[in-house]
Amino acid sequence: MKSFLLFILLAGTLFAANAKEAAENLGFESNYGTAIHKAKAEKKMLVMVIVKKNCRWCEKLLNRTLADPEVKKELKNYVTLIVDRNDTFPSEFKENFFPSIFYIDYNSQKSVYENVGYIGKKCFLNDLRESLKTRNELYR
């Protein structure tokens, strides 16, 4: 019973009221300017996840895929940003489908790979690898 209550409390901390809280809970960035500056300084690809309030697929991506230990471990090689669709970020990344994921080259600040909708752990990890491959081909 104690384990069940602990699980409920832990799960409750992941269900954030907004994108900023989700970013904080997961240890990710919540501001585009800060994230791109960090990506440039660390020479890492920026993974930007755009969500909207009351989107069940967004919550599923945040609480299942991005919270998965294997995904979080792999994301240490990237700068990860979670923003709400109404936050301030470049208009070229504005999208009408949520969640939207952009894999952004830190130098050009251009998307080299994109995905929309909920994706699970296996596909997300594959997208991370493919985005690096695409970036390397574009910017040799």
Side-chain angles (χ1 to χ4, degrees):
M1 183 65 157
K2 286 181 184 179
S3 298
F4 178 73
L5 289 174
L6 183 60
F7 172 76
I8 295 297
L9 288 172
L10 180 61
T13 63
L14 292 177
F15 290 101
N18 61 44
K20 185 173 179 145
E21 288 178 18
E24 288 175 13
N25 290 341
L26 291 166
F28 300 141
E29 298 295 325
S30 61
N31 177 279
Y32 181 84
T34 303
I36 199 67
H37 179 74
K38 184 176 180 180
K40 285 180 180 181
E42 296 178 10
K43 296 188 182 336
K44 292 181 177 179
M45 179 106 69
L46 173 63
V47 177
M48 181 167 72
V49 179
I50 305 171
V51 297
K52 75 174 188 172
K53 201 170 190 175
N54 300 320
C55 165
R56 76 182 198 147
W57 298 110
C58 299
E59 289 179 12
K60 195 173 178 181
L61 179 72
L62 295 171
N63 297 317
R64 287 189 185 177
T65 305
L66 296 182
D68 181 275
E70 190 176 342
V71 171
K72 285 190 79 168
K73 181 181 177 188
E74 188 64 29
L75 282 172
K76 289 183 182 195
N77 299 313
Y78 302 79
V79 173
T80 306
L81 167 69
I82 300 173
V83 294
D84 183 83
R85 71 179 181 161
N86 298 316
D87 289 346
T88 303
F89 54 88
S91 61
E92 67 192 83
F93 303 119
K94 296 288 182 182
E95 186 59 72
N96 290 320
F97 301 101
F98 303 97
S100 298
I101 306 167
F102 292 90
Y103 302 83
I104 302 168
D105 175 64
Y106 65 86
N107 205 24
S108 68
Q109 294 188 42
K110 301 287 184 199
S111 177
V112 297
Y113 200 84
E114 301 167 12
N115 202 332
V116 294
Y118 169 76
I119 56 173
K121 169 185 162 180
K122 188 175 180 179
C123 290
F124 189 85
L125 290 170
N126 185 59
D127 283 357
L128 288 174
R129 286 186 291 276
E130 289 300 315
S131 68
L132 280 177
K133 200 183 315 180
T134 301
R135 187 199 64 194
N136 291 340
E137 290 172 6
L138 288 171
Y139 300 105
R140 287 182 210 211

